[in-house]
Structures are given as C-alpha cells and as structure tokens.
Amino acid sequence: MIELYQFELSHYCEKIRLILDYKGLEYRKVEVTPGVGQLDLFRLSGQRQVPVLKDGETLVADSTAIALYLDRQYPDRPIMPTDARQRGLCLMMEEWADESMGVNARKVMLSAFSQNSDLRTAALPKTTPDFLKTIVGAVPHEVLDVLSFGVGLGPETVKAARDAMRQNLEALCLLLTDSPYLLGDTPSLADFAVAGLSMYVKFPTGDYVNLPDSLKGRGVPGLADSAEYQIFWDWRDRFYASFRKVGAPQPSDGGAGPTRISID
Ligand SMILES: N[C@@H](CCC(=O)N[C@@H](CS)C(=O)NCC(=O)O)C(=O)O
C-alpha cells in the first residue's frame, strides 16, 4: 500500500492527501516526529522535509514531484491538463500556490496565533487542564511578538505576508467567480495546491484533518472571516465536500518514538 510520510498539520501534505483522495487511492499515513523522526526520513529519502511518498520500492520527496508521480503512475482522474497552454498555466499556478500561498500563509497564521489568545487556546488538545488553557491564553502578545521576532517574523514581514495573502485571495475570488475550477470545468493540480496550501489561513470545516474541533473552520482574522473572500472559502468548502474523504486514515507511528503533531 502507498505510504505517506507526513505531518498531519502540514499544508504541503494536505495538498497530497487531497490528490490521493481525489484519485481514490488507498494509503497509510506515517506521522513523522518533528526532529528525531526527520533523521529517519533523511536516511530514507536523502532530505528531511515532508511529504515523502513511498509506493512499493519507489520513494518520492517534495509535494510537486509526488503530485506529478501520482498522475503518471495512476492516470485515472488526471490532474494535469493535456492542452499545452492549460498545462503551462497549471504548472505556473501550482508553483505560485506553493511559494506565495504556502509561505505567506504560514507567516500570517503564526502571527495570528501570537496575537489572538482565543486561537491559541483553541489549538490545545481537548484534554488540556483548564489552568493550562488560562496560562496559554494569558501570555501577552508582546511576549509572543518578541519570540516571533526571534524566528524572523517582525511586524514588517507579517505585514508583507498579509498584503500578499490579500492579493492572492482576491485573485482567487476573481478567477473563481464564473468558473467551477481555476482552469475551467475540471479540477487540476492548481486547485489541489491552492486548496491544500490555504489550510493555515483557514482550517477546513469538517473531519478531514486530525485537529482540535475548536480549530475547525477557524483561521486568520480578517482573511478567514472576511466577506471579501467568501467566494474563495465557499469554493474550498465545496471542493472538500466533493473530493476529500472524511475520516481518512489516522496517523500511525513512524517508528521513531512517540508521535507528536506540530505546526513546523
Ligand atoms: N517544497 C516542499 C516544501 C515542504 C515543506 O516545507 N515541508 C515542511 C512541513 S509543511 C517541513 O517538512 N518542515 C520541516 C523542516 O523543514 O525541517 C514541498 O512542496 O513538499
């Protein structure tokens, strides 16, 4: 059976899970433990990032390479257009989704968590004792801002990421106003990339990803809940309802000690 080495909360992994579900392929998730589990992944694939796909003897790293491999190997329900122009646009949009949506989404989400105590406590597991929830919620955002600076997320970086995400969401709304999918009447890799890589801006509603119920449907204030981008969020809800399997396989132990889910 196909194995997906993943982080449950990785948006690049979500892109691949969407494609696997769309193609109706059975697969087993292997949850990689951040840090120690990535050493095993390095030994296996020569690099330390997820997603990595193992299909029999074949190992493929990088979400774009995995998507293209799956389409070649399992050509039913193709995700790459055959027309040259459509194919070019698809590859271009996919790269844009990975680099602009994916990278900026991570920055705006981390900033929203540091600014918003409600979002922080929503991310804690259900079993977290109340006193701990109170402490996590009460950390002043100034303290978290200083920590964000430490990982290169100063106010200017966050503002640039937010501006880019606004423009991206506006572009998507325009493209989807009169069209069921980004490239026309059928879903393509561009749609799977955009749907997956918008996960950090707004977590999907419904039981698709293994995350606390309180986070489902929640996201970055001003982007996830703004009427300006409703066309896009409605489109993504429809996309998930059509193609993503509910209650897809649960993460299993990657064999590198206790499994921990974390946002990288
Ligand atoms: N270009 C890669 C990006 C993958 C990526 O950034 N993966 C993150 C998780 S979302 C990761 O593995 N981070 C851990 C690390 O960089 O050590 C792809 O498309 O697969």
Side-chain angles (χ1 to χ4, degrees):
M1 184 189 283
I2 293 175
E3 288 183 333
L4 180 68
Y5 289 76
Q6 64 149 31
F7 294 160
E8 180 71 7
L9 289 194
S10 153
H11 47 353
Y12 294 95
C13 296
E14 181 61 2
K15 171 176 140 191
I16 298 305
R17 293 185 297 246
L18 276 159
I19 295 172
L20 287 163
D21 282 355
Y22 176 70
K23 284 184 171 283
L25 296 169
E26 294 289 315
Y27 68 102
R28 189 173 86 91
K29 296 195 275 188
V30 180
E31 190 70 8
V32 174
T33 306
V36 61
Q38 288 176 264
L39 294 178
D40 287 347
L41 196 64
F42 186 83
R43 276 192 282 273
L44 189 73
S45 69
Q47 57 85 60
R48 36 172 283 142
Q49 289 196 319
V50 291
V52 170
L53 189 99
K54 187 167 182 294
D55 187 13
E57 294 304 301
T58 308
L59 264 183
V60 191
D62 187 274
S63 64
T64 304
I66 295 171
L68 296 175
Y69 165 82
L70 287 172
D71 213 35
R72 272 196 315 274
Q73 196 68 13
Y74 303 97
D76 280 357
R77 289 171 68 84
I79 55 169
M80 280 307 287
T82 43
D83 168 77
R85 187 178 167 75
Q86 291 279 97
R87 207 176 167 86
L89 283 171
C90 182
L91 289 171
M92 198 182 271
M93 267 192 213
E94 199 252 4
E95 173 67 7
W96 160 76
D98 279 6
E99 294 308 316
S100 184
M101 299 273 299
V103 172
N104 288 308
R106 182 185 285 164
K107 291 177 186 165
V108 292
M109 186 269 296
L110 287 174
S111 157
F113 272 92
S114 92
Q115 295 290 325
N116 191 315
S117 63
D118 182 36
L119 212 50
R120 274 201 304 283
T121 40
L124 295 171
K126 249 190 229 141
T127 48
T128 309
D130 282 346
F131 81 91
L132 207 56
K133 284 189 185 157
T134 312
I135 294 173
V136 170
V139 178
H141 75 81
E142 288 82 359
V143 172
L144 292 156
D145 286 347
V146 170
L147 294 177
S148 306
F149 251 130
V151 290
L153 274 189
E156 280 154 28
T157 311
V158 172
K159 182 181 178 309
R162 215 181 153 81
D163 289 348
M165 276 315 302
R166 282 192 175 286
Q167 182 167 327
N168 290 345
L169 291 171
E170 187 189 340
L172 288 166
C173 289
L174 290 167
L175 288 168
L176 292 166
T177 297
D178 294 320
S179 175
Y181 301 106
L182 288 168
L183 290 173
D185 290 336
T186 42
S188 74
L189 175 56
D191 299 289
F192 292 99
V194 161
L197 288 155
S198 56
M199 180 167 90
Y200 290 166
V201 187
K202 184 176 181 180
F203 291 104
T205 314
D207 294 329
Y208 302 107
V209 180
N210 189 11
L211 45 78
D213 285 346
S214 43
L215 264 191
K216 290 176 185 159
R218 299 280 310 273
V220 177
L223 299 178
D225 49 9
S226 162
E228 250 180 287
Y229 310 123
Q230 201 55 44
I231 290 177
F232 175 68
W233 298 122
D234 287 347
W235 171 85
R236 203 189 63 171
D237 285 348
R238 285 196 304 275
F239 196 78
Y240 265 75
S242 306
F243 304 130
R244 181 81 158 96
K245 281 192 191 142
V246 176
Q250 288 304 298
S252 68
D253 187 350
T259 295
R260 195 154 46 86
I261 290 178
S262 90
I263 297 168
D264 62 305

